[in-house]
Amino acid sequence: MASDPQRGQRGASGSSSASDQSGSEERKPQPDEAHSAFTPPLGVPYPPLPEDEHPTSEFALPSGLRPETPAEQEGSAFTPPSSTTGQTPMPAGSTALSYAFTPPHGIPAVRLTKEAPWQDRMRTMLRMPVGERPVPERLERADDETGPAVPRVLDLTLRIGEILLAGGEGAEDVEAAMFGVAHAYGLERVEPTVTFTLLSISYQPSLVDDPVTASRTVRRRGVDYNRLSAVFRLVDEIASEGITLEEAYRGLAEIRRNRHPYPSWALTVASGLLSGAASMLVGGTMLVFVAAAVGSMLGDRLAWLASARGLPEFYQFVVAAMPPAAVGVAFGLAHLNVQASAVITGGLFALIPGRALVAGVHDGLTGYYITAAARLLEVGYLIVGIVVGVLSVLYIGLQLNPGLRRLNPEQSLGDYNEPLVQTVAAMLLALAFCVLLQQERHTVAFATLNGGVAWVVYGALTFAEINPVPATAIAAGLVGLFGQLLSRYRYASALPYVTAAIGPLLPGSATYFGLLNFAQGHLPQGLTSLVQAVSLALAIAVGVNLGAEVARLFLRAPGIEEAGARRAAKRTRGF
């Protein structure tokens, strides 16, 4: 019987299919996700394992080399140091996180007590780099006692800073006060920021927590040194005596409710007294005194009327400068034997914004350039308002009578030298300034005496034929020196002792000469006089600031006795 080759092949294939089916039943197929591109296919043997069962990295240390000692991890700047003598080696078994970096001279501790004025303690912290600031003394609390609420502390700090900034205090002193309040209530990592109209403060509980930031806008500014001194006393009680947050809020509410120490009519009389005393400084008689006082009081009432109508401060200065100039021009047109220029000069003394100028230059010298620029811009606007008011009246008077000889500076304001009369006039001028600034009554005598000393020093230097600009700077430096010493002795602001005392040094006559020359068409002479007036004003501001810095040199700055003298702020060094 013949064989069928196809049947044999089918049988062979059938037997192989059967064997494949039995094998597939033993090995179940796996899904595609279980296969890797690097897995050897079936039937291919695996490569031999390496001698080392643990694969190594190309960055692994080669065999035969000793591993390096791990570097000490730098700690946090907010971790209290364990020693103040330098780097402390870590003992065996301790972790690097428990140790913080310490500068070579150590981290001094600031004690919030009356060992030194709080102004110096906080100003020292402001002028040091953030990473080297001293660690304030921690408040000891019981385990179940919690500190004050952070938002309330920040709100109190901003309210205090608002009163100080609105009262004309410098940006550095405002930040120092805000530092003192925040540290007194246990907020260590705070950063206050002060500009001309905006106050902000940021507090960060720790390096891993979100910061809490609050801000406040200063929309109205007023001169009240009585309130300013009360706020300084409140800050001193908070920073040195440790009063509670509720007591601080009650004290701040009482300060806001307090009335001004002098009524409005007293301010008007003081304005007239100031102009009359200023006219006597440049050789005015008793009739000139009365005329200057009347003109200044009229200008003050017009400024109050403009303020009540909501006019900006620029227009208030324009209308306030017109009456004194009008009185002087009227005397010149009447051909009376009266020094009309002395009348106008006395009226200018009451209007020149010396307080804002000193504050602006102080902010610039201490590194607060934005606030300084805003203050100086404000001073520029106010001076332009004075110029517009006086020039308008002078121009009208010269049009009516081009030959007004009484307005000629060379003939009307000669070399007047009466030391006794001028010293009394200078002290009277400083006294009137104290009333206009709403100062406390116990500060009036010191400021008045300080103003008399400033004029005596200035008169002696000019009598010795020293240029008026350096003479003014030296006299203003003594004013700043005495003012800072008195403020630290009384733990108060220096402004009540300084601002009124610089009144006799203000460049009233130089300003008038420049305006009169402009009105007469003598532009070179007018520009020269105005440049001299600006130079004298800057000399006053720089002298006051320099005197304040010299006063601080006599006091020990807290927290850096071991580290040496206080370093200046490294803000601009060419890089």
Side-chain angles (χ1 to χ4, degrees):
M1 182 174 182
S3 62
D4 188 0
Q6 294 182 357
R7 183 177 179 182
Q9 291 178 359
R10 285 196 301 268
S13 62
S15 61
S16 62
S17 301
S19 61
D20 292 342
Q21 185 176 3
S22 61
S24 62
E25 291 178 357
E26 295 176 359
R27 299 188 310 272
K28 294 183 179 180
Q30 297 179 354
D32 294 339
E33 289 80 0
H35 294 279
S36 172
F38 302 99
T39 302
L42 295 176
V44 179
Y46 282 89
L49 294 177
E51 298 179 359
D52 189 3
E53 296 182 357
H54 303 282
T56 59
S57 171
E58 58 178 319
F59 301 103
L61 188 69
S63 59
L65 293 182
R66 181 179 301 175
E68 297 180 0
T69 305
E72 180 181 356
Q73 184 174 356
E74 183 178 351
S76 171
F78 306 111
T79 305
S82 58
S83 173
T84 58
T85 58
Q87 288 286 359
T88 304
M90 293 191 303
S94 61
T95 59
L97 292 176
S98 61
Y99 287 83
F101 172 76
T102 310
H105 51 74
I107 298 180
V110 174
R111 297 186 178 275
L112 300 178
T113 60
K114 278 198 172 183
E115 297 175 357
W118 64 266
Q119 299 100 311
D120 282 346
R121 300 198 302 269
M122 297 299 108
R123 190 179 289 109
T124 300
M125 298 186 65
L126 285 174
R127 296 188 177 185
M128 294 180 67
V130 178
E132 299 181 11
R133 283 178 181 171
V135 179
E137 188 179 79
R138 296 180 179 272
L139 299 177
E140 298 295 337
R141 295 191 179 95
D143 296 337
D144 56 346
E145 182 182 359
T146 59
V150 172
R152 297 199 66 198
V153 174
L154 298 182
D155 177 71
L156 176 66
T157 304
L158 289 174
R159 290 179 183 273
I160 290 177
E162 178 190 9
I163 296 179
L164 294 178
L165 187 62
E169 194 65 63
E172 185 181 35
D173 294 324
V174 175
E175 284 195 2
M178 296 173 69
F179 252 116
V181 174
H183 285 169
Y185 290 114
L187 305 187
E188 300 174 1
R189 292 173 291 275
V190 293
E191 277 297 330
T193 303
V194 176
T195 60
F196 187 54
T197 57
L198 181 64
L199 296 167
S200 64
I201 185 169
S202 178
Y203 168 67
Q204 189 173 13
S206 66
L207 292 177
V208 297
D209 293 331
D210 296 331
V212 181
T213 304
S215 61
R216 196 171 184 87
T217 303
V218 179
R219 302 189 183 278
R220 298 185 61 184
R221 294 184 300 275
V223 181
D224 189 349
Y225 283 1
N226 180 32
R227 180 177 296 179
L228 196 70
S229 300
V231 173
F232 262 76
R233 286 194 298 269
L234 177 63
V235 175
D236 181 61
E237 293 176 357
I238 294 173
S240 301
E241 300 180 9
I243 64 175
T244 63
L245 188 63
E246 299 301 329
E247 293 173 344
Y249 264 108
R250 284 196 295 268
L252 187 62
E254 292 176 0
I255 292 173
R256 288 182 174 275
R257 285 195 299 264
N258 287 343
R259 298 177 61 87
H260 299 302
Y262 307 104
S264 59
W265 64 265
L267 300 181
T268 302
V269 174
S271 177
L273 183 63
L274 189 153
S275 297
S279 66
M280 293 181 65
L281 282 178
V282 293
T285 60
M286 185 56 64
L287 180 59
V288 172
F289 179 94
V290 174
V294 171
S296 183
M297 287 189 290
L298 289 176
D300 182 77
R301 286 292 92 189
L302 286 178
W304 277 98
L305 183 62
S307 177
R309 294 294 185 271
L311 290 178
E313 198 172 9
F314 173 83
Y315 300 104
Q316 298 176 25
F317 272 75
V318 172
V319 298
M322 286 183 174
V327 173
V329 171
F331 280 150
L333 292 175
H335 300 287
L336 298 177
N337 190 17
V338 176
Q339 293 175 324
S341 296
V343 176
I344 301 176
T345 302
L348 291 177
F349 267 86
L351 296 176
I352 296 177
R355 173 183 58 86
L357 177 65
V358 172
V361 175
H362 173 75
D363 289 340
L365 294 176
T366 52
Y368 296 84
Y369 301 114
I370 297 178
T371 307
R375 289 185 188 272
L376 294 178
L377 184 61
E378 181 191 30
V379 171
Y381 273 108
L382 298 182
I383 291 178
V384 169
I386 298 172
V387 170
V388 171
V390 175
L391 275 182
S392 301
V393 177
L394 290 179
Y395 182 78
I396 294 174
L398 292 175
Q399 292 298 319
L400 295 176
N401 185 3
L404 284 176
R405 307 302 300 171
R406 290 295 174 183
L407 297 180
N408 194 342
E410 286 77 9
Q411 294 184 4
S412 59
L413 298 180
D415 293 333
Y416 181 70
N417 187 14
E418 291 292 337
L420 182 59
V421 176
Q422 289 177 311
T423 302
V424 173
M427 297 181 67
L428 192 62
L429 190 152
L431 175 64
F433 253 125
C434 292
V435 177
L436 288 176
L437 295 174
Q438 298 281 4
Q439 292 188 194
E440 293 178 313
R441 290 180 172 84
H442 69 271
T443 64
V444 172
F446 293 101
T448 302
L449 182 61
N450 203 7
V453 172
W455 180 259
V456 169
V457 172
Y458 171 77
L461 293 176
T462 53
F463 183 76
E465 298 183 354
I466 296 179
N467 189 277
V469 175
T472 302
I474 294 173
L478 291 178
V479 169
L481 175 64
F482 295 152
Q484 287 292 333
L485 292 177
L486 287 172
S487 69
R488 276 156 179 73
Y489 175 73
R490 295 178 174 270
Y491 296 93
S493 172
L495 290 182
Y497 304 102
V498 171
T499 305
I502 64 173
L505 303 176
L506 293 176
S509 57
T511 305
Y512 166 68
F513 292 163
L515 298 181
L516 181 60
N517 284 316
F518 277 132
Q520 293 177 342
H522 304 153
L523 298 182
Q525 295 84 348
L527 184 60
T528 302
S529 298
L530 288 183
V531 168
Q532 183 182 9
V534 172
S535 301
L536 293 174
L538 292 178
I540 293 173
V542 174
V544 170
N545 179 264
L546 182 60
E549 294 295 332
V550 171
R552 297 186 186 111
L553 295 178
F554 294 102
L555 301 174
R556 292 191 309 170
I560 56 175
E561 289 84 354
E562 302 86 353
R566 185 192 70 196
R567 295 179 296 175
K570 296 181 181 179
R571 297 183 181 271
T572 305
R573 292 294 185 270
F575 53 86

